[in-house]
Amino acid sequence: MTTLHIVDDDEAIRDALGWLFQSRNVPVAGWPSAEAFLEAWRPETAGCLLLDIRMDGMSGLELFDRLLSRGCRMPVIFLTGHGEVPIAVNALKKGARDFVEKPFNDNELVDRVIAALAFDAEQREREAGQAGLAARLATLTQRERQVMELVVAGRLNKVIADELGISMRTVEVHRSHVFEKMRVKTAVELTRLLTGAA
């Protein structure tokens, strides 16, 4: 499981939230300020951000905006006080995952955080798969790419040979290289891989 990052300038709230989530086996990292989290944040930082909207120094909203500008896609759940709901709704429109109004129900908050952590893990897994696919595609020669596109389009080797002006044996060799580099055994597997339906 990835980490829940709690950013709140109130140490008592940070500690209470940390205890709540640790009691539910959710790994936690506490941050005393938005500035501290921002300084430590890296694009590979995984998990979910539980962020108080109002803090001394940089506000939670300002941290959220700065993270967005740096390409952060970590799910963010805002903790809001009474009267801050319109601000939280605006944050949702910018891409925040959720907001929870204080006082909150412990079980509901834990459920929302666990769902956000699962979302982050799934998103990172998808991105890793896409990066792996892109890396495999990059290994193909131009001719192998042409053959691959025609295989995926359902063309037979003879038709591919005619369209590309090469021998059928050459098509078979390129097709074999494509399957090997893309780590598939059939045209159906290749099509599923490329369309994301695997």
mmCIF file with all atom_site columns, all heavy atoms in Angstrom, residues 66-83:
data_model
loop_
_atom_site.group_PDB
_atom_site.id
_atom_site.type_symbol
_atom_site.label_atom_id
_atom_site.label_alt_id
_atom_site.label_comp_id
_atom_site.label_asym_id
_atom_site.label_entity_id
_atom_site.label_seq_id
_atom_site.pdbx_PDB_ins_code
_atom_site.Cartn_x
_atom_site.Cartn_y
_atom_site.Cartn_z
_atom_site.occupancy
_atom_site.B_iso_or_equiv
_atom_site.pdbx_formal_charge
_atom_site.auth_seq_id
_atom_site.auth_comp_id
_atom_site.auth_asym_id
_atom_site.auth_atom_id
_atom_site.pdbx_PDB_model_num
ATOM 1   N N   . ARG A 1 66 ? 0.296   24.712 -6.565  1.00 0.00 ? 66 ARG A N   1
ATOM 2   C CA  . ARG A 1 66 ? 1.717   24.549 -6.898  1.00 0.00 ? 66 ARG A CA  1
ATOM 3   C C   . ARG A 1 66 ? 2.021   23.118 -7.331  1.00 0.00 ? 66 ARG A C   1
ATOM 4   O O   . ARG A 1 66 ? 2.807   22.901 -8.247  1.00 0.00 ? 66 ARG A O   1
ATOM 5   C CB  . ARG A 1 66 ? 2.597   24.949 -5.723  1.00 0.00 ? 66 ARG A CB  1
ATOM 6   C CG  . ARG A 1 66 ? 2.600   26.457 -5.512  1.00 0.00 ? 66 ARG A CG  1
ATOM 7   C CD  . ARG A 1 66 ? 3.683   26.850 -4.567  1.00 0.00 ? 66 ARG A CD  1
ATOM 8   N NE  . ARG A 1 66 ? 3.612   28.272 -4.283  1.00 0.00 ? 66 ARG A NE  1
ATOM 9   C CZ  . ARG A 1 66 ? 4.514   28.911 -3.570  1.00 0.00 ? 66 ARG A CZ  1
ATOM 10  N NH1 . ARG A 1 66 ? 5.557   28.257 -3.083  1.00 0.00 ? 66 ARG A NH1 1
ATOM 11  N NH2 . ARG A 1 66 ? 4.384   30.198 -3.338  1.00 0.00 ? 66 ARG A NH2 1
ATOM 12  N N   . LEU A 1 67 ? 1.416   22.157 -6.654  1.00 0.00 ? 67 LEU A N   1
ATOM 13  C CA  . LEU A 1 67 ? 1.622   20.765 -7.046  1.00 0.00 ? 67 LEU A CA  1
ATOM 14  C C   . LEU A 1 67 ? 1.070   20.506 -8.440  1.00 0.00 ? 67 LEU A C   1
ATOM 15  O O   . LEU A 1 67 ? 1.701   19.820 -9.249  1.00 0.00 ? 67 LEU A O   1
ATOM 16  C CB  . LEU A 1 67 ? 0.977   19.818 -6.026  1.00 0.00 ? 67 LEU A CB  1
ATOM 17  C CG  . LEU A 1 67 ? 1.681   19.731 -4.678  1.00 0.00 ? 67 LEU A CG  1
ATOM 18  C CD1 . LEU A 1 67 ? 0.821   18.972 -3.672  1.00 0.00 ? 67 LEU A CD1 1
ATOM 19  C CD2 . LEU A 1 67 ? 3.053   19.085 -4.814  1.00 0.00 ? 67 LEU A CD2 1
ATOM 20  N N   . LEU A 1 68 ? -0.109  21.052 -8.736  1.00 0.00 ? 68 LEU A N   1
ATOM 21  C CA  . LEU A 1 68 ? -0.683  20.893 -10.077 1.00 0.00 ? 68 LEU A CA  1
ATOM 22  C C   . LEU A 1 68 ? 0.251   21.464 -11.133 1.00 0.00 ? 68 LEU A C   1
ATOM 23  O O   . LEU A 1 68 ? 0.460   20.855 -12.186 1.00 0.00 ? 68 LEU A O   1
ATOM 24  C CB  . LEU A 1 68 ? -2.050  21.580 -10.168 1.00 0.00 ? 68 LEU A CB  1
ATOM 25  C CG  . LEU A 1 68 ? -3.219  20.899 -9.474  1.00 0.00 ? 68 LEU A CG  1
ATOM 26  C CD1 . LEU A 1 68 ? -4.472  21.752 -9.599  1.00 0.00 ? 68 LEU A CD1 1
ATOM 27  C CD2 . LEU A 1 68 ? -3.465  19.503 -10.013 1.00 0.00 ? 68 LEU A CD2 1
ATOM 28  N N   . SER A 1 69 ? 0.812   22.636 -10.848 1.00 0.00 ? 69 SER A N   1
ATOM 29  C CA  . SER A 1 69 ? 1.699   23.273 -11.826 1.00 0.00 ? 69 SER A CA  1
ATOM 30  C C   . SER A 1 69 ? 2.980   22.462 -12.045 1.00 0.00 ? 69 SER A C   1
ATOM 31  O O   . SER A 1 69 ? 3.628   22.592 -13.078 1.00 0.00 ? 69 SER A O   1
ATOM 32  C CB  . SER A 1 69 ? 2.045   24.701 -11.402 1.00 0.00 ? 69 SER A CB  1
ATOM 33  O OG  . SER A 1 69 ? 2.937   24.691 -10.303 1.00 0.00 ? 69 SER A OG  1
ATOM 34  N N   . ARG A 1 70 ? 3.310   21.598 -11.090 1.00 0.00 ? 70 ARG A N   1
ATOM 35  C CA  . ARG A 1 70 ? 4.505   20.747 -11.216 1.00 0.00 ? 70 ARG A CA  1
ATOM 36  C C   . ARG A 1 70 ? 4.166   19.366 -11.783 1.00 0.00 ? 70 ARG A C   1
ATOM 37  O O   . ARG A 1 70 ? 5.025   18.501 -11.843 1.00 0.00 ? 70 ARG A O   1
ATOM 38  C CB  . ARG A 1 70 ? 5.183   20.584 -9.857  1.00 0.00 ? 70 ARG A CB  1
ATOM 39  C CG  . ARG A 1 70 ? 5.776   21.881 -9.348  1.00 0.00 ? 70 ARG A CG  1
ATOM 40  C CD  . ARG A 1 70 ? 6.458   21.686 -8.026  1.00 0.00 ? 70 ARG A CD  1
ATOM 41  N NE  . ARG A 1 70 ? 7.005   22.959 -7.553  1.00 0.00 ? 70 ARG A NE  1
ATOM 42  C CZ  . ARG A 1 70 ? 7.795   23.063 -6.511  1.00 0.00 ? 70 ARG A CZ  1
ATOM 43  N NH1 . ARG A 1 70 ? 8.149   21.996 -5.829  1.00 0.00 ? 70 ARG A NH1 1
ATOM 44  N NH2 . ARG A 1 70 ? 8.238   24.237 -6.147  1.00 0.00 ? 70 ARG A NH2 1
ATOM 45  N N   . GLY A 1 71 ? 2.891   19.175 -12.126 1.00 0.00 ? 71 GLY A N   1
ATOM 46  C CA  . GLY A 1 71 ? 2.504   17.913 -12.743 1.00 0.00 ? 71 GLY A CA  1
ATOM 47  C C   . GLY A 1 71 ? 2.096   16.825 -11.771 1.00 0.00 ? 71 GLY A C   1
ATOM 48  O O   . GLY A 1 71 ? 1.982   15.663 -12.153 1.00 0.00 ? 71 GLY A O   1
ATOM 49  N N   . CYS A 1 72 ? 1.856   17.172 -10.521 1.00 0.00 ? 72 CYS A N   1
ATOM 50  C CA  . CYS A 1 72 ? 1.446   16.181 -9.525  1.00 0.00 ? 72 CYS A CA  1
ATOM 51  C C   . CYS A 1 72 ? 0.027   15.694 -9.837  1.00 0.00 ? 72 CYS A C   1
ATOM 52  O O   . CYS A 1 72 ? -0.880  16.492 -10.051 1.00 0.00 ? 72 CYS A O   1
ATOM 53  C CB  . CYS A 1 72 ? 1.477   16.797 -8.128  1.00 0.00 ? 72 CYS A CB  1
ATOM 54  S SG  . CYS A 1 72 ? 0.899   15.692 -6.826  1.00 0.00 ? 72 CYS A SG  1
ATOM 55  N N   . ARG A 1 73 ? -0.120  14.370 -9.866  1.00 0.00 ? 73 ARG A N   1
ATOM 56  C CA  . ARG A 1 73 ? -1.452  13.804 -10.090 1.00 0.00 ? 73 ARG A CA  1
ATOM 57  C C   . ARG A 1 73 ? -1.881  12.928 -8.919  1.00 0.00 ? 73 ARG A C   1
ATOM 58  O O   . ARG A 1 73 ? -2.804  12.144 -9.022  1.00 0.00 ? 73 ARG A O   1
ATOM 59  C CB  . ARG A 1 73 ? -1.469  13.025 -11.396 1.00 0.00 ? 73 ARG A CB  1
ATOM 60  C CG  . ARG A 1 73 ? -1.353  13.951 -12.599 1.00 0.00 ? 73 ARG A CG  1
ATOM 61  C CD  . ARG A 1 73 ? -1.666  13.256 -13.884 1.00 0.00 ? 73 ARG A CD  1
ATOM 62  N NE  . ARG A 1 73 ? -1.176  11.902 -13.918 1.00 0.00 ? 73 ARG A NE  1
ATOM 63  C CZ  . ARG A 1 73 ? -0.156  11.475 -14.650 1.00 0.00 ? 73 ARG A CZ  1
ATOM 64  N NH1 . ARG A 1 73 ? 0.465   12.295 -15.434 1.00 0.00 ? 73 ARG A NH1 1
ATOM 65  N NH2 . ARG A 1 73 ? 0.232   10.224 -14.621 1.00 0.00 ? 73 ARG A NH2 1
ATOM 66  N N   . MET A 1 74 ? -1.168  13.077 -7.803  1.00 0.00 ? 74 MET A N   1
ATOM 67  C CA  . MET A 1 74 ? -1.510  12.346 -6.592  1.00 0.00 ? 74 MET A CA  1
ATOM 68  C C   . MET A 1 74 ? -2.916  12.783 -6.147  1.00 0.00 ? 74 MET A C   1
ATOM 69  O O   . MET A 1 74 ? -3.221  13.972 -6.158  1.00 0.00 ? 74 MET A O   1
ATOM 70  C CB  . MET A 1 74 ? -0.488  12.684 -5.502  1.00 0.00 ? 74 MET A CB  1
ATOM 71  C CG  . MET A 1 74 ? -0.726  11.988 -4.179  1.00 0.00 ? 74 MET A CG  1
ATOM 72  S SD  . MET A 1 74 ? 0.405   12.562 -2.875  1.00 0.00 ? 74 MET A SD  1
ATOM 73  C CE  . MET A 1 74 ? 1.988   12.216 -3.571  1.00 0.00 ? 74 MET A CE  1
ATOM 74  N N   . PRO A 1 75 ? -3.784  11.832 -5.768  1.00 0.00 ? 75 PRO A N   1
ATOM 75  C CA  . PRO A 1 75 ? -5.109  12.237 -5.312  1.00 0.00 ? 75 PRO A CA  1
ATOM 76  C C   . PRO A 1 75 ? -5.019  13.085 -4.039  1.00 0.00 ? 75 PRO A C   1
ATOM 77  O O   . PRO A 1 75 ? -4.239  12.776 -3.138  1.00 0.00 ? 75 PRO A O   1
ATOM 78  C CB  . PRO A 1 75 ? -5.840  10.921 -5.047  1.00 0.00 ? 75 PRO A CB  1
ATOM 79  C CG  . PRO A 1 75 ? -4.878  9.823  -5.274  1.00 0.00 ? 75 PRO A CG  1
ATOM 80  C CD  . PRO A 1 75 ? -3.604  10.392 -5.783  1.00 0.00 ? 75 PRO A CD  1
ATOM 81  N N   . VAL A 1 76 ? -5.819  14.147 -4.000  1.00 0.00 ? 76 VAL A N   1
ATOM 82  C CA  . VAL A 1 76 ? -5.822  15.069 -2.870  1.00 0.00 ? 76 VAL A CA  1
ATOM 83  C C   . VAL A 1 76 ? -7.216  15.086 -2.264  1.00 0.00 ? 76 VAL A C   1
ATOM 84  O O   . VAL A 1 76 ? -8.215  15.252 -2.967  1.00 0.00 ? 76 VAL A O   1
ATOM 85  C CB  . VAL A 1 76 ? -5.429  16.497 -3.318  1.00 0.00 ? 76 VAL A CB  1
ATOM 86  C CG1 . VAL A 1 76 ? -5.562  17.481 -2.163  1.00 0.00 ? 76 VAL A CG1 1
ATOM 87  C CG2 . VAL A 1 76 ? -4.010  16.508 -3.875  1.00 0.00 ? 76 VAL A CG2 1
ATOM 88  N N   . ILE A 1 77 ? -7.253  14.908 -0.941  1.00 0.00 ? 77 ILE A N   1
ATOM 89  C CA  . ILE A 1 77 ? -8.499  15.039 -0.186  1.00 0.00 ? 77 ILE A CA  1
ATOM 90  C C   . ILE A 1 77 ? -8.302  16.216 0.754   1.00 0.00 ? 77 ILE A C   1
ATOM 91  O O   . ILE A 1 77 ? -7.354  16.249 1.541   1.00 0.00 ? 77 ILE A O   1
ATOM 92  C CB  . ILE A 1 77 ? -8.827  13.760 0.610   1.00 0.00 ? 77 ILE A CB  1
ATOM 93  C CG1 . ILE A 1 77 ? -9.004  12.576 -0.342  1.00 0.00 ? 77 ILE A CG1 1
ATOM 94  C CG2 . ILE A 1 77 ? -10.071 13.965 1.470   1.00 0.00 ? 77 ILE A CG2 1
ATOM 95  C CD1 . ILE A 1 77 ? -9.191  11.232 0.349   1.00 0.00 ? 77 ILE A CD1 1
ATOM 96  N N   . PHE A 1 78 ? -9.203  17.182 0.658   1.00 0.00 ? 78 PHE A N   1
ATOM 97  C CA  . PHE A 1 78 ? -9.113  18.363 1.511   1.00 0.00 ? 78 PHE A CA  1
ATOM 98  C C   . PHE A 1 78 ? -9.946  18.171 2.769   1.00 0.00 ? 78 PHE A C   1
ATOM 99  O O   . PHE A 1 78 ? -11.059 17.638 2.720   1.00 0.00 ? 78 PHE A O   1
ATOM 100 C CB  . PHE A 1 78 ? -9.639  19.605 0.774   1.00 0.00 ? 78 PHE A CB  1
ATOM 101 C CG  . PHE A 1 78 ? -8.645  20.225 -0.155  1.00 0.00 ? 78 PHE A CG  1
ATOM 102 C CD1 . PHE A 1 78 ? -8.726  20.008 -1.512  1.00 0.00 ? 78 PHE A CD1 1
ATOM 103 C CD2 . PHE A 1 78 ? -7.618  21.019 0.333   1.00 0.00 ? 78 PHE A CD2 1
ATOM 104 C CE1 . PHE A 1 78 ? -7.809  20.579 -2.380  1.00 0.00 ? 78 PHE A CE1 1
ATOM 105 C CE2 . PHE A 1 78 ? -6.694  21.595 -0.524  1.00 0.00 ? 78 PHE A CE2 1
ATOM 106 C CZ  . PHE A 1 78 ? -6.798  21.375 -1.888  1.00 0.00 ? 78 PHE A CZ  1
ATOM 107 N N   . LEU A 1 79 ? -9.387  18.630 3.890   1.00 0.00 ? 79 LEU A N   1
ATOM 108 C CA  . LEU A 1 79 ? -10.149 18.737 5.134   1.00 0.00 ? 79 LEU A CA  1
ATOM 109 C C   . LEU A 1 79 ? -10.612 20.182 5.230   1.00 0.00 ? 79 LEU A C   1
ATOM 110 O O   . LEU A 1 79 ? -9.801  21.100 5.108   1.00 0.00 ? 79 LEU A O   1
ATOM 111 C CB  . LEU A 1 79 ? -9.262  18.400 6.337   1.00 0.00 ? 79 LEU A CB  1
ATOM 112 C CG  . LEU A 1 79 ? -8.841  16.947 6.478   1.00 0.00 ? 79 LEU A CG  1
ATOM 113 C CD1 . LEU A 1 79 ? -7.882  16.794 7.654   1.00 0.00 ? 79 LEU A CD1 1
ATOM 114 C CD2 . LEU A 1 79 ? -10.044 16.051 6.663   1.00 0.00 ? 79 LEU A CD2 1
ATOM 115 N N   . THR A 1 80 ? -11.900 20.369 5.411   1.00 0.00 ? 80 THR A N   1
ATOM 116 C CA  . THR A 1 80 ? -12.447 21.723 5.430   1.00 0.00 ? 80 THR A CA  1
ATOM 117 C C   . THR A 1 80 ? -13.194 21.981 6.717   1.00 0.00 ? 80 THR A C   1
ATOM 118 O O   . THR A 1 80 ? -13.758 21.072 7.315   1.00 0.00 ? 80 THR A O   1
ATOM 119 C CB  . THR A 1 80 ? -13.423 21.952 4.257   1.00 0.00 ? 80 THR A CB  1
ATOM 120 O OG1 . THR A 1 80 ? -14.558 21.112 4.435   1.00 0.00 ? 80 THR A OG1 1
ATOM 121 C CG2 . THR A 1 80 ? -12.785 21.664 2.925   1.00 0.00 ? 80 THR A CG2 1
ATOM 122 N N   . GLY A 1 81 ? -13.201 23.232 7.124   1.00 0.00 ? 81 GLY A N   1
ATOM 123 C CA  . GLY A 1 81 ? -13.986 23.648 8.269   1.00 0.00 ? 81 GLY A CA  1
ATOM 124 C C   . GLY A 1 81 ? -15.323 24.195 7.802   1.00 0.00 ? 81 GLY A C   1
ATOM 125 O O   . GLY A 1 81 ? -15.601 24.297 6.606   1.00 0.00 ? 81 GLY A O   1
ATOM 126 N N   . HIS A 1 82 ? -16.162 24.530 8.748   1.00 0.00 ? 82 HIS A N   1
ATOM 127 C CA  . HIS A 1 82 ? -17.470 25.091 8.437   1.00 0.00 ? 82 HIS A CA  1
ATOM 128 C C   . HIS A 1 82 ? -17.300 26.359 7.601   1.00 0.00 ? 82 HIS A C   1
ATOM 129 O O   . HIS A 1 82 ? -16.464 27.200 7.880   1.00 0.00 ? 82 HIS A O   1
ATOM 130 C CB  . HIS A 1 82 ? -18.215 25.429 9.741   1.00 0.00 ? 82 HIS A CB  1
ATOM 131 C CG  . HIS A 1 82 ? -19.547 26.033 9.516   1.00 0.00 ? 82 HIS A CG  1
ATOM 132 N ND1 . HIS A 1 82 ? -20.611 25.313 9.031   1.00 0.00 ? 82 HIS A ND1 1
ATOM 133 C CD2 . HIS A 1 82 ? -19.993 27.303 9.677   1.00 0.00 ? 82 HIS A CD2 1
ATOM 134 C CE1 . HIS A 1 82 ? -21.656 26.112 8.917   1.00 0.00 ? 82 HIS A CE1 1
ATOM 135 N NE2 . HIS A 1 82 ? -21.307 27.323 9.307   1.00 0.00 ? 82 HIS A NE2 1
ATOM 136 N N   . GLY A 1 83 ? -18.072 26.479 6.574   1.00 0.00 ? 83 GLY A N   1
ATOM 137 C CA  . GLY A 1 83 ? -18.030 27.674 5.735   1.00 0.00 ? 83 GLY A CA  1
ATOM 138 C C   . GLY A 1 83 ? -17.000 27.612 4.626   1.00 0.00 ? 83 GLY A C   1
ATOM 139 O O   . GLY A 1 83 ? -16.889 28.553 3.840   1.00 0.00 ? 83 GLY A O   1
#
